Amino acid sequence: MSNRILSVLTLSAALFLPNAHAAEEGVLDIYIVRHGQTHWNLEKKLQGSTDNALNETGTKQAKDLGDKLAGVKFDQIYSSGLKRAKDTAAAFAGSTKVTPLPELNERSFGKFEGIYEDDRSAVEFAEFGKRVTVLDDSLDGGESLQSQANRVKTAVATIRQQHKQGNIAIVAHGGVNPLVLSALLDIPVAEAVSRIKQGNDEVYLVRVREGQAPSVWKQVVRGTLEQL
């Protein structure tokens, strides 16, 4: 990874959102949104491709997100095909078209799907931690990280081809959005998955301008002031 990209990532906790209300000519702003909380998120269960709905907190997070992004005029919003992402997208879409893309769905975690991400499933979770970033490991009946990364990269390329400027949003998952950033910033897949951890109510903004390295901002709210 180049020093140019590293310098961009160093600035990724900058104040949010720069020039959010009006799109600049020749500039594409990509808002990367993680879905709101589900019961499995709350219970610290590994969710994967299981199609859970938002819980009460997640519904509120989605509504609050709509308030925060109310000043952004989106040209189009893309979501994964899973309900928790589609419902989060609907909360701030207004009249903007939402296009579900199954290529943005979360990965199936095979035999590990539904285990607890703490001591309640200590043995299984330890094994999962060792295997989840191995590119060709399909986790005993799930999907490999390389397969997921390939389809997410294809989705990002398709989106980029259709939008050269303006404002768009991608609403997906904790395991998908690092891969979106991997594709946009040319970060190795395993590194992106192991190092980028997006909360349920966090938003990233990637600004793409012809001839320049992408710029990255992260929404900082009261609960994450330490990240300033």
Side-chain angles (χ1 to χ4, degrees):
M1 183 167 47
S2 70
N3 289 333
R4 192 179 187 192
I5 292 296
L6 282 172
S7 67
V8 171
L9 293 177
T10 301
L11 299 174
S12 65
L15 286 172
F16 196 76
L17 301 162
N19 266 344
H21 297 278
E24 297 179 35
E25 187 170 349
V27 175
L28 177 62
D29 280 350
I30 305 173
Y31 292 78
I32 302 175
V33 180
R34 186 182 175 194
H35 64 80
Q37 187 186 82
T38 69
H39 284 301
W40 277 26
N41 290 142
L42 180 62
E43 295 168 3
K44 297 188 180 301
K45 293 179 72 172
L46 198 61
Q47 194 156 217
S49 61
T50 302
D51 198 7
N52 293 320
L54 299 176
N55 63 12
E56 184 177 350
T57 296
T59 300
K60 183 179 184 304
Q61 288 171 335
K63 179 183 180 301
D64 289 346
L65 180 64
D67 294 338
K68 293 170 185 173
L69 297 179
V72 183
K73 179 176 173 53
F74 288 103
D75 301 301
Q76 194 161 352
I77 297 171
Y78 297 90
S79 78
S80 94
L82 299 178
K83 183 174 176 58
R84 56 192 184 272
K86 291 191 293 185
D87 288 353
T88 299
F92 67 91
S95 61
T96 303
K97 181 180 180 181
V98 177
T99 302
L101 296 177
E103 293 84 0
L104 295 173
N105 284 11
E106 185 60 285
R107 175 185 179 187
S108 169
F109 293 126
K111 75 171 188 177
F112 300 102
E113 197 143 321
I115 69 169
Y116 289 100
E117 301 179 63
D118 57 25
D119 290 344
R120 288 171 290 180
S121 300
V123 174
E124 296 92 339
F125 190 54
E127 181 185 354
F128 173 77
K130 293 176 181 177
R131 297 175 59 181
V132 67
T133 58
V134 178
L135 292 177
D136 61 354
D137 192 335
S138 60
L139 305 176
D140 300 346
E143 181 183 15
S144 72
L145 177 57
Q146 188 63 67
S147 170
Q148 183 190 28
N150 290 345
R151 61 176 168 82
V152 171
K153 186 174 183 178
T154 297
V156 170
T158 299
I159 292 169
R160 290 284 309 277
Q161 288 172 0
Q162 295 178 3
H163 301 276
K164 302 301 182 183
Q165 65 182 45
N167 298 310
I168 64 170
I170 295 174
V171 186
H173 306 272
V176 171
N177 290 350
L179 297 174
V180 173
L181 290 169
S182 171
L184 290 171
L185 304 178
D186 194 26
I187 304 170
V189 167
E191 181 179 1
V193 170
S194 63
R195 296 186 65 188
I196 300 173
K197 307 297 181 184
Q198 185 181 27
N200 286 110
D201 57 351
E202 290 183 338
V203 181
Y204 303 148
L205 167 60
V206 178
R207 174 163 291 176
V208 180
R209 181 182 281 111
E210 188 70 28
Q212 296 183 21
S215 302
V216 185
W217 287 266
K218 177 180 179 179
Q219 182 185 45
V220 175
V221 296
R222 185 174 181 179
T224 55
L225 287 177
E226 292 79 9
Q227 297 177 17
L228 283 174

